[in-house]
Amino acid sequence: MVQDSLSASICTRIGVVTGGGDCPGLNAVIRAVVISALNRGWEVFGIEKGFEGLLHPERVHLLNTQDVRGIIYRGGTILGTTNRGNPFRLNITENGKTKQVDISADVVDAFHSLSLNALVVIGGDGTLTIANSLAKKGIPVIGVPKTIDNDLMATEMTFGFSTAVTTATDAIDKLHATAESHERVMIVEVMGRNAGWIALYSGVSGGGDVILIPEIPYKLEAIAEKLHDRWRRKRNFAIVVAAEGAREVGGELIYQDAIVQGESRRLGGIAEHLAIKLGQMTGYETRSLVLGHLQRGGQPTPADRLLATRFGAAAVRAIANGERNVMVAHQASSIITVPLESAIQERKLVPIDYDVIQSARELGISFGDEC
Ligand code: F6P
C-alpha cells in the first residue's frame, strides 16, 4: 500500500478501451476499473470504439461512478468496440477505393497529449497483440483478457466463456425435447474459433451424444456409427455439438466468407454441412442450428461478473504498483500479472488428454474419431 499511495501521486490519469468482438463481462471490467481507480483519487477516461477513439476528442470521456452504475449485469460494452480498428493497418475508403494506412504514431501522440499515464486494454488475442505493438511505441499498457473462446494461453480462464457455455448449454437442453419428439439428429454449431472449449463444456454439460472439436478431427463414418448405435438402443434421436472450427480428418475448415486481404475469415457452416452428409449416410432426419452471436449476448453469469471484477481491480492495482506492459491473468485460483509480450504468443487449445475428454468418452460421448 505504501507503493500504492506513492504511485497515486504520479499516476492519476488512465484510459480504458475495449477492442475486438464484444463479450459478456466487458461492462463489469470497466466498472471495476473506474470504481477502483476513482477510489484511489485517479481520473479515468473511457475511449470509445477501440484505439482509434483516441484520435477523436468527442470519443474520449471522463468517467465517473454515475457512468458505471447498474452495468455489472449488462452484456456488451458501454464504450463500444470494433474488430476493424487496427491502427497499424486501418482500412480507409477514398474515392470508392479501400486502402490500409498506419495511424499508430497518431494514436500514440493522442494518448500522450491527453497526459494519460497508462491504458487499460480489454481485448482478445487480436486487440492485445495491437496493444503490445502500441506498448513498444510508448503507450504503457495493462491488458485484460477477454474472449468467449477461452483460448488465451496465459490465463486459465477468460471472462465471457462461462456465459457463452451457459447459453449454449441452455440451447442444447431445449433441443433435446424437439429432437426426441421428432426422432431427429439435431446438430448445433457453437463458436470458439480454432479452440473447442465452448463445444466441449456445453456438450458435456448439455448431455450431447457427439462433440466435435477442432483439436480432434472427425470421421463421418464414426459419427454415423454412433448414431446407428443410439437407434439400435432405441434412443431414436441424437444431439451433435460441433465447434465452428471442427473439421474432418484430412479436410478443410469451413468459412462463411471469402479471403479478404488483411482480414481474418469468419468460420461457420459446419452444422449444415454435417446435417447434409449425415442425413445422406444414415437416412435419419437431420436438422442444423447455428447459435452464432447469441453466445456473445445476454447478462454475464455470476462467474463472469466475478472474474471480470477481479480482472478490472487487478489491472488498476498493477498500475498502482508501477507495473506496465503486463496482462492480468487467472492462474491457480489467483489473479496475477504476466508480461504482455509472452501472453499473446500462444493460443490455448483443448489438450486431447484433458480429463474432461476422458470423462466424456467414459460416458459414451463420441468425438467422432473412434468407431
Ligand atoms: O472470438 C470471438 C468470436 O465470437 C468467435 O468465437 C467467432 O468465430 C468470432 O468471434 C465471430 O466474429 P464476428 O463477430 O466478427 O462475426
Side-chain angles (χ1 to χ4, degrees), residues 28-355:
V29 180
I30 296 167
R31 172 180 175 272
V33 167
V34 170
I35 295 175
S36 61
L38 293 184
N39 283 344
R40 286 181 158 88
W42 300 0
E43 288 178 325
V44 184
F45 291 82
I47 321 295
E48 283 182 2
K49 292 190 220 150
F51 299 107
E52 200 206 334
L54 279 163
L55 300 179
H56 305 274
E58 72 283 6
R59 281 163 58 181
V60 180
H61 304 280
L62 186 60
L63 298 175
N64 57 40
T65 43
Q66 194 64 32
D67 296 312
V68 295
R69 194 160 283 163
I71 65 168
I72 192 169
Y73 53 81
R74 276 173 52 192
T77 159
I78 59 165
L79 295 176
T81 190
T82 175
N83 45 18
R84 289 166 194 266
N86 183 347
F88 293 88
R89 282 191 282 123
L90 196 72
N91 280 339
I92 58 161
T93 306
E94 270 173 6
N95 305 326
K97 285 206 169 138
T98 303
K99 61 176 182 177
Q100 292 193 333
V101 292
D102 181 351
I103 57 158
S104 58
D106 301 333
V107 167
V108 176
D109 287 349
F111 173 85
H112 291 302
S113 63
L114 286 165
S115 302
L116 297 175
N117 304 103
L119 185 63
V120 177
V121 179
I122 314 169
D125 58 340
T127 302
L128 293 177
T129 301
I130 297 167
N132 188 47
S133 302
L134 289 172
K136 287 183 182 152
K137 293 188 91 159
I139 296 186
V141 166
I142 305 291
V144 177
K146 161 241 72 157
T147 169
I148 63 164
D149 305 336
N150 195 32
D151 62 350
L152 291 176
M153 185 53 109
T155 183
E156 282 165 15
M157 202 59 83
T158 54
F159 70 87
F161 174 63
S162 159
T163 308
V165 169
T166 302
T167 300
T169 305
D170 186 44
I172 296 166
D173 289 349
K174 289 179 173 143
L175 286 175
H176 267 91
T178 177
E180 188 163 9
S181 304
H182 284 270
E183 301 196 342
R184 283 175 173 162
V185 179
M186 299 298 296
I187 304 174
V188 55
E189 176 175 320
V190 299
M191 283 183 166
R193 225 179 278 264
N194 301 103
W197 296 103
I198 298 176
L200 179 65
Y201 276 43
S202 62
V204 173
S205 308
D209 305 296
V210 179
I211 300 174
L212 305 176
I213 60 175
E215 294 83 351
I216 305 178
Y218 64 80
K219 297 181 207 128
L220 284 168
E221 301 72 31
I223 306 172
E225 179 47 34
K226 171 69 184 175
L227 301 181
H228 287 315
D229 181 55
R230 281 186 63 77
W231 259 258
R232 275 195 295 272
R233 290 186 293 109
K234 307 282 181 253
R235 302 292 288 147
N236 294 358
F237 71 96
I239 305 286
V240 178
V241 182
E244 61 183 359
R247 64 184 167 82
E248 202 173 346
V249 175
E252 301 287 329
L253 293 170
I254 300 180
Y255 290 99
Q256 295 180 51
D257 51 12
I259 299 172
V260 178
Q261 206 211 339
E263 292 197 6
S264 52
R265 295 179 74 189
R266 291 162 61 213
L267 287 160
I270 183 83
E272 183 55 17
H273 169 78
L274 287 167
I276 293 168
K277 292 277 181 199
L278 292 170
Q280 287 166 350
M281 282 174 82
T282 63
Y284 301 134
E285 213 180 334
T286 307
R287 294 287 187 273
S288 67
L289 171 87
V290 181
L291 275 191
H293 293 80
L294 276 179
Q295 295 157 99
R296 294 230 303 253
Q299 293 191 342
T301 60
D304 275 340
R305 296 180 205 186
L306 183 65
L307 185 59
T309 300
R310 293 169 76 193
F311 277 161
V316 171
R317 202 180 312 129
I319 298 170
N321 287 334
E323 292 187 72
R324 299 293 183 268
N325 307 337
V326 294
M327 184 187 86
V328 295
H330 183 257
Q331 282 183 21
S333 307
S334 293
I335 306 298
I336 58 156
T337 54
V338 293
L340 187 56
E341 177 81 34
S342 66
I344 56 172
Q345 296 307 328
E346 238 185 308
R347 296 289 81 76
K348 182 181 66 193
L349 301 180
V350 178
I352 53 173
D353 58 352
Y354 190 31
D355 77 272

